[in-house]
Amino acid sequence: MSEHRRKPPQPQGGGRAAGRRGQSGSSSGRRAAPRGATGSPSDAYGADPYGAGGEERPYGGRAEARRAAQRGGGRRRAADPARGGRRAAPAGRGRAVDPGRKRIIDYPRAGRYGWHRWVPSWKLVTGMFIGFLGSLVAVAGIGYAMVSVPNVADTATAQNNVYYWADGSQMVATGGETNRQIINLAQIPKAMQFAVISQENKTFYTDSGIDPKGIARAVLNMARGGETQGGSTITQQYVKNAMLNDQSQTISRKFKEIFVAIKVGATVDKDDIMAGYLNSAYYGRNAYGIQAAARAYFNKDAVDLNPGECAFLAAMLKGATYYDPAGATSIDPAATAEANAARAERQMQDTLNKMVEYGHLDAQERNRYRTLPKVQNPRSNTRLSGQIGYLVDLANSYLVTHQNETHVTQQKLREGGLSIYTTFDKKKIQALEASVTAVQKANIKPKLRPQYDTHVQFGGASVDPTTGAIKAIYGGEDATKHFTNNADATGAQVGSTFKPFVLAAAMKWGVRDAKLGPDQAQDERTIVSPKSLYSGKNKLKIKDYQGNVWTNEKGEEWLQTNDGDQSYGNPPKYMIDLREAMRESVNSAFVQLGMDVGLDKVKEAAVDAGLLESSLAGTNYPSFSIGISDPSAIRMAGAYATFAASGKQRDPYSVDKVVSKDGVTYEHKTVTKQAFTAKVADNVTDVLKTVVDKGTGTAAKLPGRQVAGKTGTTDGNKSAWFVGYTPQLSTAITMFRYDDDASNKNRTFLKMFGTGGQKKIHGASFPAQIWHDYMAEALKGTPAEPFPTPEPIGEVVNEQPSPTPTPSATESEEESPSPTPSPSQSQTSPSPTPSGKCKPWDWTCDQSGGTTTGGTDTGGTNGDVSSSPSPTDTSGNTRGNQNGGGGLFGGPAG
């Protein structure tokens, strides 16, 4: 046998080999008896596990032998003879549990090996389940015993929020007023009780007070990271209202609320629960309880409410921010008066229908309440009078709309306890209010001229170009009387103050090359110099960049009128450069420039400067370039501040920091974007300086200071603007007329011919005067700073136009008709005229013969009128956006 196949030497000690040898050496020739058959301990346990000599180690008894076997680690050893000779667990599978030992919990299981040891017995499972249920009962019992039934008199105890001026001095403490009065159930109309039962909890009088499914949903929602949900039953809602001192969104608080609800449901009479709920619920307008709500909305006692008013107040319980017909755009720009009224009416009607369905209201009585009841002015806190209410609303709006950054929700504002440090400069606020008041008192006399001077409104805002901080606003005469903030969203179109964005777009992207196709033309552009020449002709045929005459949906050519129906520039060419066109606010030049650049680029420039896209009109018609959009005064001041800051854009903001009991919870960080290059922005500023120095804006001159700005007046003389800036401050002033009735869903802007004793209101008149008086005071004591000297930019477009015949300008005091172009008509898809196609930038092409005027030109002496046809309405209504789009923090454009 070869060496490598030789068997290894066999062990000489105990074990199987020894047994075999013993068998072979037996004189009797019989096989050896199985181990353990003799009963000897040495037979049972074999040789010494720690030695090699095979000598047997005597043990004192069975127990000692068993312990020795267990100490043998992973070695294979014989089973206990007393258990029938069963073999022990194989090596490496863990130590077997002594089957003879008595344990309270048999786990791991004795006498089982491998995975069988870890499968619990049915006795163990049953015992643990019973123990778990017992623990829950014990915990529930302890929780039930520890909670107490809430006292309705302790509800609605929110703290004040304290608002501070920019200099750190206190502005006002508000937000925690407890506007409530507890009344008995007998003083609450049955209709109110049935309204909430029908809408919220139809089984109120028969249920236990809790909704297990609703509780499970709330706990699951919290486990997923969401906020807790409101109580599903009236009892749970009452408990939630009564626990205002603990509004933390935690599972422990939710369980506490459940225990309280169980105790209330078991120990408190249903009528008392109903009274407690209606007396503690929040109805909006800082009104806690049904009596305060009846006074806040209808100025009557709760006992006098009719079923329609009760159903209306039941809708307010859904969240007054989105149901109060007065609107709440200071909290959410989407919560306009119109949208809220529509929601409230739907909810009210649904509640009345359910009351009839469940037998709580007669169908004939129900039919008396098909429209919303008339509600009164929402403001009642005299501490919020004057401008203070507008400032508080503006700060709250910023916090809530930026809650991802500020971590301040409407609920936290209502709970109070916050110190809110605003950006508002007290002296500038007072100066702006004084300037508006002085002009208003001297010129606006409703009693003397009721036909012309009623419903006149002013608004204004002032922004720091270096930070975006809102330094001052004028929201209206008194926040407790006029509750729409005129500095924020109003729906007033901005007119010719929009033209700087057209110029900025032409300097940033340039005009398109008409010799190329539509796709290539987007890439091949010519940057425009302020020296570029455009036609100042009145009733100019507007063309797209390829030379096609633009027509409306009826095939009528668009003829753009100018102020006073006059042409600018000397005949026969009628060509003026863009600086002069801006100085005299020539509509025809900027409408054509916008078409050459592309209205999409004009819109992009406006958004880049800081206007909200939601406030901008559509770009399907040429008049977009002359201000038919309706941004807020705050946003206009912020957008012009971008030019003042050499193209650096910073969003307007109203809160510097928020401090709670836990310390600083929010601190504003300015984010700067480069909207335009310094070359573009500084050239726009240089052109706007000309407007103030010797153009339509001379009334805004500040001795010793450089000022840039633009006037604006809109179609039908329904609004007038002046927006201007110095390097330190940008300010926008607006003036308009509309009926300030919150219940008027179709609020109409009124014409201002004859207002203030003037034939017509221009941006150069009252708005520029207010701007001048305010800025002179606001900048008093600050050093005058010059604007940067602009670098040359672009090429002179149309530098050598061909001679043209001398057209006859039409001078007229009459207002031209204001057509409404089709939204589907695009500057990129024009309808060619029957007479053919004009060459690009060829002002010798025949411009006569059209039938449609491209916007209204309403006369005046200084050329400061933007023709602004409404995209959807030519009767005087705005685009339906009275409280939404164009506001400081966004919202629908209507």
Side-chain angles (χ1 to χ4, degrees):
M1 182 178 295
S2 63
E3 191 70 26
H4 69 274
R5 293 179 58 87
R6 191 175 299 162
K7 292 184 179 180
Q10 298 296 320
Q12 299 300 315
R16 291 183 180 180
R20 285 195 298 270
R21 288 192 298 273
Q23 293 175 17
S24 61
S26 173
S27 60
S28 62
R30 293 179 300 174
R31 296 182 62 180
R35 281 180 288 182
T38 63
S40 169
S42 62
D43 288 338
Y45 296 103
D48 180 6
Y50 302 106
E55 295 183 4
E56 296 181 352
R57 178 179 293 179
Y59 295 105
R62 178 177 295 175
E64 187 175 351
R66 185 163 54 246
R67 286 193 296 273
Q70 292 173 350
R71 287 194 300 268
R75 289 175 177 259
R76 186 184 300 273
R77 46 194 176 270
D80 185 352
R83 296 184 60 86
R86 179 178 296 175
R87 294 178 63 184
R93 294 194 181 182
R95 182 176 297 167
V97 177
D98 181 7
R101 181 182 298 175
K102 297 293 183 181
R103 295 185 296 170
I104 297 176
I105 299 177
D106 184 18
Y107 194 79
R109 297 179 66 183
R112 299 289 189 271
Y113 304 96
W115 63 269
H116 295 283
R117 299 177 59 205
W118 307 104
V119 178
S121 67
W122 67 269
K123 293 181 180 180
L124 179 61
V125 173
T126 303
M128 291 179 66
F129 180 71
I130 294 174
F132 176 73
L133 290 181
S135 299
L136 287 182
V137 171
V139 170
I142 295 172
Y144 185 87
M146 292 182 65
V147 299
S148 58
V149 174
N151 183 356
V152 69
D154 296 332
T155 62
T157 56
Q159 304 176 64
N160 276 328
N161 293 314
V162 183
Y163 297 80
Y164 296 89
W165 296 105
D167 64 3
S169 61
Q170 183 172 319
M171 179 197 305
V172 66
T174 186
E177 299 82 2
T178 54
N179 178 22
R180 62 183 170 90
Q181 180 183 351
I182 297 173
I183 57 178
N184 295 324
L185 189 64
Q187 297 173 279
I188 302 175
K190 282 289 185 182
M192 188 67 207
Q193 301 174 45
F194 289 137
V196 296
I197 288 174
S198 299
Q199 190 61 254
E200 304 291 342
N201 185 191
K202 66 180 181 180
T203 61
F204 169 70
Y205 281 107
T206 58
D207 62 35
S208 63
I210 62 170
D211 177 11
K213 291 183 179 179
I215 293 171
R217 283 195 305 270
V219 173
L220 181 61
N221 189 51
M222 286 185 293
R224 291 174 175 174
E227 293 188 355
T228 58
Q229 299 171 330
S232 301
T233 68
I234 288 177
T235 302
Q236 288 178 263
Q237 292 179 53
Y238 162 60
V239 170
K240 180 179 176 64
N241 294 339
M243 295 173 65
L244 283 178
N245 61 330
D246 181 11
Q247 289 294 318
S248 57
Q249 304 293 328
T250 61
I251 292 180
S252 61
R253 180 199 168 278
K254 193 67 182 178
F255 276 114
K256 181 180 179 181
E257 184 181 306
I258 292 170
F259 288 134
V260 174
I262 293 172
K263 194 163 193 173
V264 169
T267 61
V268 180
D269 184 79
K270 289 288 187 179
D271 285 345
D272 292 337
I273 295 174
M274 175 61 70
Y277 171 60
L278 293 177
N279 276 312
S280 63
Y282 182 68
Y283 296 80
R285 299 193 177 188
N286 199 40
Y288 291 87
I290 185 62
Q291 175 65 13
R295 282 292 173 188
Y297 288 93
F298 305 114
N299 196 27
K300 62 169 65 174
D301 291 327
V303 70
D304 297 323
L305 295 171
N306 62 46
E309 293 166 340
C310 291
F312 170 87
L313 291 178
M316 296 304 103
L317 296 174
K318 292 285 187 182
T321 296
Y322 300 100
Y323 289 89
D324 187 343
T329 53
S330 63
I331 299 299
D332 188 341
T336 64
E338 291 77 12
N340 282 14
R343 279 187 286 261
E345 186 171 357
R346 286 195 300 268
Q347 185 69 17
M348 169 187 166
Q349 297 304 319
D350 182 65
T351 298
L352 290 169
N353 290 338
K354 288 181 177 177
M355 291 171 69
V356 173
E357 179 184 351
Y358 301 143
H360 301 314
L361 181 65
D362 179 74
Q364 186 174 358
E365 174 74 3
R366 183 258 178 278
N367 287 330
R368 296 175 56 188
Y369 310 107
R370 290 291 180 181
T371 59
L372 281 177
K374 186 174 178 61
V375 298
Q376 64 179 358
N377 188 311
R379 293 191 182 276
S380 60
N381 186 347
T382 56
R383 283 182 285 178
L384 299 177
S385 61
Q387 300 303 304
I388 300 299
Y390 303 125
L391 299 175
V392 168
D393 285 349
L394 201 58
N396 290 347
S397 176
Y398 179 82
L399 292 173
V400 173
T401 55
H402 293 78
Q403 61 183 270
N404 289 338
E405 303 166 21
T406 66
H407 308 294
V408 176
T409 63
Q410 187 179 356
Q411 174 67 32
K412 288 189 176 181
L413 282 175
R414 203 170 77 198
E415 293 169 14
L418 302 177
S419 294
I420 299 170
Y421 293 83
T422 73
T423 62
F424 307 131
D425 186 311
K426 185 176 183 179
K427 291 182 179 179
K428 288 183 174 63
I429 292 284
Q430 293 172 342
L432 183 53
E433 184 176 25
S435 299
V436 173
T437 301
V439 169
Q440 192 170 29
K441 287 184 176 180
N443 300 280
I444 309 302
K445 303 182 183 301
K447 293 182 179 180
L448 181 64
R449 294 182 293 268
Q451 183 179 356
Y452 305 109
D453 287 10
T454 55
H455 309 302
V456 175
Q457 298 290 334
F458 293 92
S462 204
V463 172
D464 183 350
T466 63
T467 63
I470 302 171
K471 307 308 291 184
I473 65 164
Y474 180 83
E477 188 175 352
D478 190 329
T480 63
K481 298 176 182 177
H482 171 77
F483 47 86
T484 298
N485 185 351
N486 293 342
D488 207 354
T490 63
Q493 295 178 351
V494 296
S496 291
T497 58
F498 199 80
K499 289 174 182 174
F501 306 122
V502 183
L503 181 60
M507 292 179 176
K508 181 175 182 178
W509 287 288
V511 294
R512 294 172 286 188
D513 190 341
K515 292 179 293 185
L516 301 174
D519 296 333
Q520 292 174 303
Q522 298 299 324
D523 299 324
E524 298 294 331
R525 291 175 174 267
T526 301
I527 300 300
V528 172
S529 163
K531 297 179 181 179
S532 296
L533 300 176
Y534 271 80
S535 176
K537 183 183 178 181
N538 184 52
K539 294 185 179 179
L540 176 70
K541 287 183 181 180
I542 299 302
K543 304 173 294 181
D544 71 1
Y545 73 96
Q546 291 180 317
N548 297 313
V549 177
W550 200 95
T551 60
N552 66 9
E553 73 282 2
K554 297 179 181 179
E556 298 171 330
E557 295 173 346
W558 184 276
L559 302 182
Q560 182 59 55
T561 58
N562 287 329
D563 181 34
D565 274 343
Q566 69 179 37
S567 295
Y568 291 83
N570 297 321
K573 298 180 180 180
Y574 285 97
M575 301 298 285
I576 57 174
D577 65 29
L578 292 177
R579 183 182 299 274
E580 182 183 356
M582 185 73 77
R583 184 178 71 233
E584 299 301 331
S585 198
V586 180
N587 294 334
S588 56
F590 279 96
V591 169
Q592 186 58 61
L593 177 62
M595 297 295 284
D596 290 347
V597 174
L599 298 185
D600 58 333
K601 293 300 184 184
V602 174
K603 181 176 183 178
E604 188 174 343
V607 172
D608 288 346
L611 299 187
L612 296 176
E613 187 171 358
S614 60
S615 71
L616 301 180
T619 58
N620 294 328
Y621 30 87
S623 56
F624 177 78
S625 294
I626 50 176
I628 58 174
S629 300
D630 56 7
S632 68
I634 293 172
R635 283 288 173 176
M636 285 299 289
Y640 272 49
T642 300
F643 298 131
S646 293
K648 295 180 174 64
Q649 190 271 330
R650 301 167 177 105
D651 277 345
Y653 71 101
S654 56
V655 176
D656 272 320
K657 68 177 179 178
V658 178
V659 180
S660 71
K661 60 182 178 60
D662 300 320
V664 177
T665 59
Y666 167 73
E667 195 160 11
H668 177 78
K669 292 180 176 60
T670 297
V671 176
T672 300
K673 303 174 185 176
Q674 193 71 43
F676 309 104
T677 64
K679 182 185 291 187
V680 170
D682 293 344
N683 271 279
V684 172
T685 294
D686 193 58
V687 171
L688 294 181
K689 281 173 57 183
T690 309
V691 175
V692 177
D693 290 341
K694 48 186 177 181
T696 61
T698 55
K701 281 185 178 180
L702 295 174
R705 293 184 184 274
Q706 292 187 2
V707 174
K710 184 69 187 75
T711 52
T713 306
T714 58
D715 181 23
N717 203 209
K718 293 165 190 166
S719 62
W721 290 74
F722 184 82
V723 186
Y725 54 93
T726 68
Q728 300 105 315
L729 201 61
S730 177
T731 300
I733 302 295
T734 179
M735 177 182 178
F736 50 88
R737 290 180 67 206
Y738 65 54
D739 187 1
D740 186 28
D741 182 357
S743 65
N744 182 3
K745 296 181 182 179
N746 297 312
R747 180 180 293 148
T748 300
F749 280 76
L750 308 175
K751 296 179 180 180
M752 294 190 291
F753 297 109
T755 298
Q758 298 192 8
K759 182 178 179 180
K760 176 184 178 177
I761 299 297
H762 294 87
S765 57
F766 297 147
Q769 182 181 345
I770 292 171
W771 189 96
H772 169 273
D773 295 347
Y774 160 68
M775 290 289 281
E777 184 65 27
L779 295 173
K780 185 180 293 185
T782 61
E785 295 183 11
F787 289 116
T789 301
E791 299 179 22
I793 189 172
E795 300 180 23
V796 179
V797 176
N798 307 321
E799 185 174 9
Q800 295 179 339
S802 302
T804 60
T806 304
S808 58
T810 303
E811 300 290 342
S812 174
E813 295 289 343
E814 296 298 323
E815 184 176 345
S816 303
S818 176
T820 303
S822 170
S824 63
Q825 179 67 53
S826 170
Q827 75 274 12
T828 59
S829 302
S831 300
T833 64
S835 60
K837 176 176 176 182
C838 296
K839 294 180 180 180
W841 305 337
D842 181 3
W843 308 113
T844 64
C845 182
D846 182 18
Q847 303 296 316
S848 62
T851 59
T852 302
T853 54
T856 309
D857 201 325
T858 52
T861 60
N862 57 15
D864 176 38
V865 176
S866 295
S867 76
S868 307
S870 169
T872 58
D873 189 356
T874 59
S875 62
N877 292 342
T878 66
R879 295 179 296 129
N881 178 23
Q882 305 303 330
N883 295 307
L888 171 58
F889 308 120

